[in-house]
């Protein structure tokens, strides 16, 4: 509640530019929940201090530019990106190796699902940038398809719950649980599908 109030206060004071910049920094691993940032943007729209539809566009722009910047950082520097002090604190060589392995096996799928995995999003996008498996344009397309699902949910949730923070936080919590539930179900489904295909290939 206090964190939401703080973001709402900052966004009310500085408007769209604050939302945009915070979302870009979230892409680089700023320890601020992206969903709460989007909800806070929706709240100030619900309080009449911004337009909800333009806030949605600002949210999309901030999210996509932040993610694309992280990807390009990996693409430009390659493995050397792990030597950047700010990056090395978030992405350890062990985590980088694990994500690299997953991208090698399930590149498109992992990149798409990363948007719904707080804490893993930045390492996955950075690692995807260092990989030749995913082009920049494909990355942007996958990220856009994922963002067009998540961003409007959080922004309009904040917009409609702006006048009752207690109810809003309940909605946010339920939304987070729903996202994690769907993510878990999707991972289980594709895991079983992969296992079945592997068994069939071994039998041939």
């Amino acid at each position: 509640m206090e964190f939401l109030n703080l973001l709402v206060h900052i966004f009310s004071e500085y408007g769209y530019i604050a939302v945009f910049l915070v979302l870009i920094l979230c892409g680089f691993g700023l320890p601020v929940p992206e969903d709460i940032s989007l909800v806070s943007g929706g709240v100030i729209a619900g309080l009449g201090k911004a337009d909800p539809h333009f806030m949605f566009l600002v949210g999309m722009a901030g999210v996509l530019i932040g993610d694309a910047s992280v990807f390009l950082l990996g693409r430009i520097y390659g493995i050397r990106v792990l030597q950047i002090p700010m990056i090395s604190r978030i992405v350890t060589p062990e985590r980088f190796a694990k994500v690299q392995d997953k991208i090698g096996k399930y590149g498109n799928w992992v990149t798409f699902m990363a948007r719904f995995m707080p804490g893993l999003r930045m390492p996955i996008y950075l690692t995807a940038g260092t990989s030749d498996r995913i082009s920049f344009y494909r990355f942007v397309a996958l990220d856009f398809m994922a963002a067009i699902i998540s961003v409007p949910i959080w922004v309009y949730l904040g917009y409609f719950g702006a006048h009752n923070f207690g109810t809003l936080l309940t909605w946010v919590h339920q939304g987070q649980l729903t996202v994690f539930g769907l993510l878990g179900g999707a991972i289980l489904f594709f895991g079983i599908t992969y296992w079945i295909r592997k068994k069939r290939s071994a039998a041939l």
Side-chain angles (χ1 to χ4, degrees):
M1 175 72 82
E2 291 182 4
F3 197 65
L4 179 63
N5 280 324
L6 176 62
L7 283 178
V8 169
H9 174 73
I10 294 173
F11 292 169
S12 296
E13 188 75 21
Y14 299 102
Y16 299 115
I17 188 65
V19 178
F20 179 70
L21 291 176
V22 166
L23 288 171
I24 288 179
L25 291 175
C26 284
F28 281 91
L30 181 73
V32 175
E34 186 180 274
D35 51 0
I36 299 300
S37 300
L38 291 166
V39 167
S40 299
V43 167
I44 69 168
L47 296 176
K49 298 180 180 181
D51 178 80
H53 309 306
F54 190 69
M55 183 60 74
F56 158 64
L57 294 177
V58 169
M60 285 292 294
V63 162
L64 294 175
I65 291 174
D67 294 345
S69 298
V70 170
F71 179 91
L72 288 174
L73 193 65
R75 181 55 48 92
I76 293 169
Y77 284 94
I79 190 69
R80 291 178 294 124
V81 75
L82 298 182
Q83 298 173 4
I84 300 175
M86 182 184 73
I87 301 297
S88 63
R89 294 193 194 98
I90 302 172
V91 186
T92 63
E94 294 77 13
R95 172 177 281 188
F96 180 82
K98 289 180 180 178
V99 174
Q100 202 171 38
D101 178 62
K102 297 300 180 185
I103 289 178
K105 293 179 179 177
Y106 324 103
N108 293 341
W109 170 246
V110 171
T111 303
F112 175 81
M113 294 305 295
R115 167 127 306 280
F116 309 101
M117 295 187 284
L120 292 177
R121 186 183 304 131
M122 185 269 197
I124 290 174
Y125 291 163
L126 188 74
T127 307
T130 67
S131 170
D132 293 330
R133 183 179 174 84
I134 300 175
S135 70
F136 175 70
Y137 298 107
R138 179 180 294 183
F139 171 80
V140 171
L142 290 167
D143 195 35
F144 177 84
M145 288 188 290
I148 203 67
I149 296 172
S150 64
V151 172
I153 289 175
W154 298 124
V155 170
Y156 289 107
L157 201 64
Y159 174 71
F160 289 112
H163 296 285
N164 191 331
F165 273 22
T167 300
L168 174 59
L169 289 175
T170 300
W171 289 351
V172 170
H173 182 64
Q174 290 175 342
Q176 290 171 331
L177 290 178
T178 300
V179 168
F180 285 129
L182 292 174
L183 178 62
I187 291 174
L188 180 62
F189 172 77
F190 281 96
I192 292 173
T193 302
Y194 174 76
W195 180 78
I196 291 174
R197 287 180 178 176
K198 192 173 182 180
K199 294 290 284 186
R200 286 178 177 174
S201 297
L204 293 178

